[in-house]
Amino acid sequence: MSDAAIHPIRFILSDVDGTLLHPDHRLSQRTVDAVSALREAGVFFSLASGRPPKAMLHLIETFGIDVPVAGFNGGTLINPDGSILVAHHLPAEAALVALAMFSAEPDVEPWVFADGDWLRRGPPGPMEPREAHGLGYGPVVVESFEPYLDRIDKIVAASNNAQLLVELEARLQPKVQGLAQVSRSQPIYLDVTAMLANKGEALKTLAAHLGVPLEQTAAIGDGGNDPAMFQVAGLSIAMGQAEETVKRQANVVTGSNIDDGAAEAIERFILAAR
């Protein structure tokens, strides 16, 4: 008897950018239809993203999601109506270390997410239009991040220099060990969040909330923040364009986001098995 027959998947937690969405942030009809088929089959479906919760509301509506979703890499869990279920803030000590490191790099744009807003200091950088397009709104310009230190949801180092972010990740990790999570949600974004703000913890919390055993869960993703949920899901699925280090931590690999790999995985590994 197959594992699918013994432990049929009852809950799928999916990344958003690089997984459900094409590189231009477009959502294909095939993906919408695949998620709709999940709901018809009685399978719970939710989202786990580095995005702020308010940048996920349109996706909740599009997919008809009626269970909580995870924003800020799992730092904030919200109900479908936008109300907060769980929130984990970044310790001020870790925030200060990260901001000092990122601000010292001319090729890095440091962004802070707090109070439901995207915050930046100084003039706009070249990375800002891409983020604004993806989120659907722009940043609030502030003179200082200091007033927000006690309630930061996420800090992002954005840069077109992907290798620099790899180096910054390696340098920052030991400095905030035990205080914060550091991971590249995309090659051009380095995210810093609270220790419990990771997609693995989000999957555990959401599965418990829904009454689904972890062996009956699946996770789909492509970024460096997705293996955290791969490690706890019953079935882990990496996107075809993901880095090799991410693929190696998944049970299976599907097509790329350009080729609707998430829909392919849902059709092949979840729906067909049922």
Side-chain angles (χ1 to χ4, degrees), residues 2 9 16 28 43 48 71 106 121 134 144-146 161 216 221 228 234 254:
S2 69
I9 299 301
V16 175
S28 76
V43 179
R121 297 177 56 207
S144 171
F145 294 135
E146 188 173 347
N161 188 339
Q216 292 185 302
T254 185

Side-chain angles (χ1 to χ4, degrees), residues 70-77 86-91 153 178-181 193-205 228:
F72 295 130
N73 296 332
T76 302
L77 306 185
V86 177
H88 302 290
H89 292 131
L90 184 66
D153 295 300
L179 292 174
Q181 298 274 351
T193 55
M195 281 300 295
L196 291 178
N198 70 79
K199 294 184 180 183
E201 290 297 326
L203 178 55
K204 292 177 185 177
T205 301

